[in-house]
């Protein structure tokens, strides 16, 4: 142990003595380590963004969706089936359960005209299950069902039609049709992408039916529930059996998973991205290591006399080998720490977060990325120091002293 500590001390002293040479040789290593670390961290960011985008469409892992239809073509009695769903859900004690009807077309009075606007009918659990972000305001709560003026959430494009008024001033919409009335805007969802002009309403299912809204005959009600991922495979078949029990023979019940975690292609895409970009960064690091080998070989030729003096005073070949190799390892480890610091600073920059617009839960800088960068730096240092260390060990003492 003391020999290793002594070798490390000698390596650090040698690095401090040749600051300029070490600095020039390790710039490429630091940049390459920063690139590898950033690639791993950006892969985490990308996976998080992909997961959140998938959650908005298919729900969080694991989301079960179920509905029913009449196999004989008769209209579904949604009120009776809804009561049946409530009884089954009460036994399961679901923490998040929502109805979903999308879209119902409703006439909306805008500043220019009355236009038909697609409307999504949901329960308060919907934005939680689908991780739906907000640009302004808030989402629904259970207490909203009791409000005199029913709440709605609108898209940013529809908000622009009204001139983006302050939601705190009581901004309300005039909706016509069977569910006509005044609806208070409590939240605005942001655009999904640049140029998104989707003008959409989201309102509570209870508010729609309370305003005497009757679902069109061709519309179906779907239910979604968010269950623990490790239990989804067990709950799904049992839930389907319980929902089918006690129904008429002409009613068919469908239960399926809609979340991204049930589709392995999403994770494979992220892994492919990380492998390709990480391979490119690794190639850059390898090229930097080859440049370091050349610099170390040239420097070793200039230190042959020093090596001869140390050998003449009793330094063993293993001590010479370890000290020369550790010089390279310590130097690249320092460069690795610098590269990791650069990657952390870059990833905290605002322009990086702008690349992942809409991401709600920004993951912390992953330790996996830092460890990957540091291990890569140490490995390339050992590779770059091996050949110069062999040259130092094989040098003849007498010839070295004559040099």
């Amino acid at each position: 142990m003391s020999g290793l500590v002594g070798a490390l001390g000698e390596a650090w002293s040698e690095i401090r003595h040749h600051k300029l040479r070490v600095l020039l040789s390790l710039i490429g290593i630091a940049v390459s380590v920063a690139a590898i670390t950033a690639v791993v961290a950006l892969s985490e960011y990308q996976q998080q963004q992909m997961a959140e985008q998938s959650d908005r469409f298919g729900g969080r892992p694991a989301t079960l969706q179920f509905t029913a239809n009449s196999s004989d073509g008769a209209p579904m009695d949604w009120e009776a089936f809804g009561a049946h769903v409530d009884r089954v859900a009460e036994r399961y004690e679901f923490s998040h359960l929502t109805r979903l009807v999308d879209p119902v077309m409703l006439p909306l009075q805008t500043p220019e005209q009355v236009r038909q606007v697609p409307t999504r009918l949901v329960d308060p659990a919907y934005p939680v299950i689908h991780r739906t972000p907000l640009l302004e305001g808030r989402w629904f709560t259970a207490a909203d069902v009791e409000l005199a003026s029913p709440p709605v959430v609108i898209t940013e494009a529809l908000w622009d039609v009204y001139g983006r008024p302050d939601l705190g001033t009581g901004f309300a919409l005039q909706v016509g049709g069977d569910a006509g009335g005044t609806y208070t805007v409590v939240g605005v969802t942001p655009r999904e992408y640049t140029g998104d002009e989707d003008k959409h309403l989201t309102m509570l299912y209870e508010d729609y039916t309370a305003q005497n809204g009757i679902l069109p005959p061709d519309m179906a009600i779907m239910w979604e529930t968010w269950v623990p991922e490790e239990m989804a495979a067990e709950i799904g078949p049992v839930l389907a059996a319980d929902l089918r029990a006690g129904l008429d023979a002409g009613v068919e019940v469908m239960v399926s998973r809609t979340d991204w975690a049930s589709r392995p292609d999403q994770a494979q895409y992220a892994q492919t991205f990380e492998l390709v970009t990480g391979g490119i960064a690794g190639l850059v690091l390898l090229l930097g290591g080859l440049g370091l080998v050349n610099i170390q070989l040239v420097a070793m030729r200039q230190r042959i006399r020093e090596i001869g003096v140390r050998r003449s005073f009793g330094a063993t070949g293993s001590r010479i080998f370890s000290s020369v190799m550790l010089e390279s390892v310590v130097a690249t480890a320092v460069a690795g720490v610098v590269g990791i610091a650069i990657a952390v600073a870059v990833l905290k920059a605002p322009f990086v977060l702008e690349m992942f617009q809409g991401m709600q839960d920004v993951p912390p800088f992953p330790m996996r990325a830092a460890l990957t960068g540091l291990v890569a730096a140490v490995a390339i240092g050992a590779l770059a120091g091996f050949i110069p260390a062999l040259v130092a060990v094989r040098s003849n003492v007498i010839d070295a002293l004559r040099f």
Side-chain angles (χ1 to χ4, degrees), residues 26-27 29-31 33-34 331-345 374:
L26 295 180
I27 289 177
I29 301 296
V31 172
V33 169
T332 55
V334 172
V337 172
V338 173
I340 293 170
I342 293 173
V344 172
L374 190 59

Side-chain angles (χ1 to χ4, degrees), residues 99-121:
R99 285 165 291 193
L100 173 62
V101 181
D102 189 18
V104 175
M105 303 303 295
L106 293 178
L108 175 66
Q109 178 66 60
T110 65
E112 299 86 8
Q113 59 183 348
V114 175
R115 64 166 69 193
Q116 295 290 323
V117 176
T119 303
R120 180 188 297 121
L121 309 180

Side-chain angles (χ1 to χ4, degrees), residues 64 66 88-90 92-97 225-227 235 239:
L64 299 179
F66 48 92
V88 173
E90 186 176 355
Y92 283 84
E93 297 183 346
F94 291 129
S95 60
H96 297 83
L97 178 68
T225 182
W226 178 23
V227 301
I235 292 178
L239 176 62

Side-chain angles (χ1 to χ4, degrees), residues 63-80:
T63 296
L64 299 179
Q65 185 181 90
F66 48 92
T67 187
N69 62 27
S70 180
S71 59
D72 57 6
M76 272 292 300
D77 186 349
W78 290 114
E79 184 175 354

